[in-house]
Amino acid sequence: MTTTASPESETHDITPVRDRPRRRVALIGPLIVVLVGGLAVGRFLFAGSSSVEGSTTQSAGVGSELDALRARTVAEPESSTAWLAYGENAMRTAIATGDPAYYAAAQLALDTAVTLAPDSADAVAARAGLALSLHDFAAALPLAERAAKLNPFGVNALAALVDARLENGDYDGAETTLDQLLDVNPGTPAYARVSYFRQLTGDLEGARTAMQQAVGATGPGNGRAVVLGYLGDLNLELGNYDAAEKAYSTALTDQPGNIAAELGRARVLIARGSLTEAAARLDALVARSPQPAPATLQGELALLQGDSVSADAAFRLVRANQQILRSQGVIADIEYSNFDADRGDWASALETASAAHATRQTIFTADALAWALLNVGRTAEAVPLIEESLALGISTPSIRVHAAAIYTANRQPERARDELAVAFQSTPWLTPSIRPIAARLADELGLTLPQNWSSL
């Protein structure tokens, strides 16, 4: 499946969440992993309006802009506005470059901004956005709630509250807040979150349409590069490789060096069978980014090519990068659990997933815990958790393959076939590690493996 429409110009009228039938989910207790496995979640960039509408800085100018903003804080040390601008820029830089060292600067600046102006909704919302980017979801929620109380009509505050509620499993609360955000300002921050909400409920075409609307509402620059990266990911999951490539390429024009777009282009190359070119791109990306996601894909690609030595080296680098992120305050429990699970370290995966699910019951913590439980032999315990993960209707192929494996182990082959069929509607190239598991299950269940799942 391909499309050649220009992602930066293609927009469609979307039906806001409030005008759609509300999907009420019976939650098991208070119910993303980012599908591409990134740790600094770019979607949280939209917690600050300046992060989206006003930023046109290219990567080459990041250092000079940061220096100028830092100089302003020296000249105006009592200015909350100066500290807020510096902190937001440092946070954007951390997300865009994948360099977690910028988080320390962002935290110092935003903490100072809040101290100087404790009743500033924008400062508190930006601090909530930083907590979200660090995956400190427990800390993000009260900060976002406070920001929204300070300014119930603030785009920054409402956007942060949508994200915080989503990542703490309050999906109904997140939908209500998103409706409020759409009423206040139906722009890029709202449309991007409509897209994510639809993605969580399995409506990928609706998610793509909403993200196209987000792209169309954003001028060229770093903010548009972020939403273009998400549009590329959606097209890749839908199997629209040409459209994905177009979105990633345009994102890199807007912001050269954007980590998510570079990673997406590598996945497109893998999906098309251009493994040598993909490996070269990943080598260059890993050399400049300490994020675990590029090194993880580098290792998975090496395994596809039969090079276990290079794969082991890449996975050792992932471990080292995880330590760097931890030292900078990034909490990435689900990512760590999934990585351990993919490497067969089930004891560690179970420990991490159990702790994560005890803290926040989301569809992603439920999936991680269910998958770990299955693989330590506690198959019956995995069933209610995978059903919790599927409650919203998410179609992410890794979760659906996990569900198929769990139902197979619990002698429910029809349910397993249904789950595998859903997985096969998406591309496997966001999570290559699930391909051999899906192949084994398809053979066991008597299903035909789609060509794009069996190639290479």
Side-chain angles (χ1 to χ4, degrees), residues 157-176:
L158 291 172
L161 187 54
V162 172
D163 294 339
R165 284 178 168 167
L166 276 172
E167 295 303 332
N168 281 283
D170 181 9
Y171 298 112
D172 282 353
E175 184 180 2
T176 297

Side-chain angles (χ1 to χ4, degrees), residues 4-255:
T4 56
S6 171
E8 66 270 27
S9 63
E10 183 180 3
T11 61
H12 301 278
D13 214 11
I14 70 167
T15 305
V17 168
R18 62 178 177 274
D19 295 334
R20 296 161 62 87
R22 291 179 70 82
R23 186 187 184 95
R24 290 299 175 194
V25 181
L27 305 182
I28 304 173
L31 247 181
I32 164 186
V33 81
V34 177
L35 296 179
V36 299
L39 294 180
V41 182
R43 194 178 307 270
F44 301 138
L45 209 61
F46 302 121
S49 60
S50 64
S51 303
V52 178
E53 311 294 351
S55 177
T56 58
T57 304
Q58 300 298 315
S59 286
V62 162
S64 59
E65 184 179 11
L66 267 179
D67 288 344
L69 291 171
R70 180 69 180 94
R72 183 184 169 193
T73 66
V74 174
E76 305 174 42
E78 300 303 314
S79 170
S80 173
T81 302
W83 285 103
L84 176 58
Y86 176 52
E88 285 188 325
N89 191 284
M91 180 168 60
R92 290 198 303 270
T93 303
I95 293 170
T97 64
D99 187 346
Y102 288 104
Y103 283 124
Q107 182 162 342
L108 173 62
L110 295 178
D111 284 347
T112 303
V114 172
T115 299
L116 291 170
D119 293 332
S120 167
D122 282 346
V124 177
R127 187 62 186 83
L130 176 62
L132 287 162
S133 293
L134 295 172
H135 287 201
D136 190 355
F137 302 130
L141 183 58
L143 284 165
E145 289 173 338
R146 180 181 161 200
K149 185 175 181 180
L150 287 166
N151 185 0
F153 302 101
V155 173
N156 302 356
L158 291 172
L161 187 54
V162 172
D163 294 339
R165 284 178 168 167
L166 276 172
E167 295 303 332
N168 281 283
D170 181 9
Y171 298 112
D172 282 353
E175 184 180 2
T176 297
T177 306
L178 179 53
D179 285 344
Q180 295 170 353
L181 179 59
L182 283 161
D183 285 333
V184 168
N185 187 341
T188 299
Y191 292 141
R193 286 166 174 81
V194 169
S195 175
Y196 187 47
F197 196 94
R198 292 178 180 178
Q199 191 173 5
L200 290 175
T201 59
D203 180 9
L204 291 182
E205 288 291 352
R208 179 179 179 271
T209 298
M211 195 58 74
Q212 287 171 335
Q213 190 80 358
V215 171
T218 311
N222 292 358
R224 192 176 70 166
V226 174
V227 285
L228 281 165
Y230 287 123
L231 180 60
D233 292 344
L234 286 165
N235 278 314
L236 181 56
E237 187 169 355
L238 286 164
N240 299 327
Y241 301 147
D242 288 352
E245 170 65 26
K246 177 66 174 177
Y248 294 137
S249 296
T250 308
L252 289 167
T253 298
D254 276 8
Q255 186 183 44

